Amino acid sequence: MTTYFTSDTHFGDPRVLRIDRRPFPDLPTHDAALIENWNAVVEPDDTVWHLGDFALGPPPDRVQSLLSALNGQKHLIVGNNDGPGTLAAQGWRSIAHYAELDVDGQHLVLCHYAFRTWNRMGRGVVNLHGHSHGKLKPVTRQYDVGVDAWDFRPVTLETIRATRRRRTTT
């Protein structure tokens, strides 16, 4: 079992095509591509922490259909664009605004929003966040896991760390 992180899928939200300039001709293509990309990396027994803004706009039955189409044991960290349909959807293993957990020997602080400071940051704790759509300048031990920063797919902590090292050493 592998643990993945993602955020800001914005299923059903036409604004992401315009505001974030996502490379899809229309919303159905966008949503289908994100589902395909997710399921290409996530197995049914894997764990996925979605750090907010899952869907905005579709009716509750469509939100349920989207969530059901995605592989993995899914946890939601609530974002500013997660409405009642997302929160009521069956299939979330947990729903919270904040979480701390250990993955691969690393303690993590999870929230939709990037923090300026977080619990035990001086002791090597890592902050994973969404919300910024890959537009914030990276800071030490803080990573944006949004789909805009990771080729529109969930990502592992190992991949995040390896990519950050490459970016800072070139």
Side-chain angles (χ1 to χ4, degrees), residues 2 36 41-42 47 49-50 52 57 60 64 74-75 100 105 108 118 127 133 135 138 143 154 161-162:
T2 304
E36 182 178 330
V41 297
V42 177
T47 298
W49 285 87
H50 193 294
Q64 183 64 59
K74 299 167 286 283
H75 300 265
E100 291 191 29
L108 305 171
W118 57 91
N127 170 225
H133 296 257
K135 295 177 182 158
Y143 305 96
R161 290 173 145 175

Side-chain angles (χ1 to χ4, degrees), residues 5 11-12 15-16 28 32 36 39 46 61 70 76 78 82 101 104 112 114-115 121 130 144 146 155 157 166 169:
F5 302 92
F11 288 112
R15 299 172 309 153
V16 296
E36 182 178 330
N39 290 338
D46 291 339
D61 60 328
L70 299 168
L76 177 66
V78 179
D82 289 317
L101 63 139
D104 300 331
H112 179 62
F115 292 135
M121 71 182 282
D144 182 346
V155 64
L157 184 59
R166 279 198 307 273
T169 59

Side-chain angles (χ1 to χ4, degrees), residues 5 49-51 75-78 94-103 106-113 115 118-119 125-129:
F5 302 92
W49 285 87
H50 193 294
L51 304 190
H75 300 265
L76 177 66
I77 300 297
V78 179
S94 68
I95 299 174
H97 288 272
Y98 174 95
E100 291 191 29
L101 63 139
D102 292 303
V103 173
Q106 175 65 61
H107 194 72
L108 305 171
V109 168
L110 310 178
C111 188
H112 179 62
Y113 306 101
F115 292 135
W118 57 91
N119 186 31
V125 172
V126 169
N127 170 225
L128 301 182
H129 68 89

Side-chain angles (χ1 to χ4, degrees), residues 3-143:
T3 301
Y4 289 90
F5 302 92
T6 193
S7 75
D8 300 290
T9 47
H10 284 270
F11 288 112
D13 184 354
R15 299 172 309 153
V16 296
L17 299 178
R18 184 182 74 255
I19 295 169
D20 296 309
R21 297 186 179 131
R22 291 189 179 172
F24 305 100
D26 53 45
L27 204 48
T29 304
H30 168 270
D31 290 358
L34 266 62
I35 292 168
E36 182 178 330
N37 290 351
W38 179 305
N39 290 338
V41 297
V42 177
E43 298 293 328
D45 289 335
D46 291 339
T47 298
V48 181
W49 285 87
H50 193 294
L51 304 190
D53 289 1
F54 178 75
L56 180 67
D61 60 328
R62 176 67 177 141
V63 174
Q64 183 64 59
S65 174
L66 289 161
L67 185 60
S68 297
L70 299 168
N71 287 342
Q73 309 302 308
K74 299 167 286 283
H75 300 265
L76 177 66
I77 300 297
V78 179
N80 59 303
N81 288 305
D82 289 317
T86 295
L87 300 178
Q90 300 298 304
W92 296 115
R93 298 287 239 190
S94 68
I95 299 174
H97 288 272
Y98 174 95
E100 291 191 29
L101 63 139
D102 292 303
V103 173
D104 300 331
Q106 175 65 61
H107 194 72
L108 305 171
V109 168
L110 310 178
C111 188
H112 179 62
Y113 306 101
F115 292 135
R116 186 167 179 197
T117 183
W118 57 91
N119 186 31
R120 299 185 343 200
M121 71 182 282
R123 295 192 174 136
V125 172
V126 169
N127 170 225
L128 301 182
H129 68 89
H131 188 66
S132 61
H133 296 257
K135 295 177 182 158
L136 287 182
K137 181 180 177 185
V139 299
T140 303
R141 289 185 307 281
Q142 185 176 65
Y143 305 96

